[in-house]
């Protein structure tokens, strides 16, 4: 499939949408880490706090990259999913991570096209962490 041409302005818009989703992931993890219950979820509850902190770092990195590209970093927050059911919470978190992995894979290709190699590197670092987040959730959901 040919990759569509992209302008710097479109890249800024895409990164700002990613940024809004990092803010919502951060908030969602704070909520889920606080309310998830059950002995089988003890260790993942601690992991959710770690994830939340890492989403914060992703938001900072994206915000800086938007600024480097000459854009104004967004302060919008994406959709947040909550549930009274602990397993459902982890499924909601996993959905978010799988979406993030898909988005950052596309974004890395786009950064490459724009020859924005510093941005590509920053996105690769984020992608690695999102893949770890997905694995943590999948391992707990498989038990
Ligand atoms: Fe993230
Ligand atoms: Fe994540």
């Amino acid at each position: 499939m040919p990759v569509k041409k992209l302008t710097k302005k479109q890249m800024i818009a895409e990164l700002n949408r990613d940024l809004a989703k990092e803010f919502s992931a951060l908030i969602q993890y704070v909520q889920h880490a606080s309310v998830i219950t059950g002995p089988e979820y003890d260790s993942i509850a601690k992991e959710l706090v770690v994830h939340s902190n890492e989403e914060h770092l992703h938001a900072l990195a994206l915000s800086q990259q938007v600024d480097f590209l000459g854009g104004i970093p967004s302060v919008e927050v994406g959709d947040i999913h909550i549930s009274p059911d602990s397993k459902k919470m982890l499924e909601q978190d996993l959905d978010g991570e799988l979406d993030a992995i898909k988005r950052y894979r596309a974004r890395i290709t786009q950064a490459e096209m724009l020859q924005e190699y510093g941005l590509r590197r920053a996105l690769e670092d984020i992608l690695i962490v999102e893949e770890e987040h997905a694995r943590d959730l999948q391992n707990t959901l498989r038990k």
Side-chain angles (χ1 to χ4, degrees), residues 22 54-55 58 104 126 130 133:
E22 290 294 344
E54 287 168 337
E55 307 305 7
H58 297 167
Y104 290 126
I126 295 175
E130 307 301 16
H133 290 175

Side-chain angles (χ1 to χ4, degrees), residues 30-63:
V30 167
Q31 205 266 1
H32 288 186
S34 311
V35 303
I36 196 164
T37 46
E40 68 272 47
Y41 299 124
D42 267 358
S43 71
I44 193 74
K46 291 186 191 80
E47 273 310 307
L48 298 185
V49 176
V50 175
H51 289 196
S52 166
N53 288 327
E54 287 168 337
E55 307 305 7
H56 178 190
L57 295 176
H58 297 167
L60 267 174
L62 288 176
S63 195

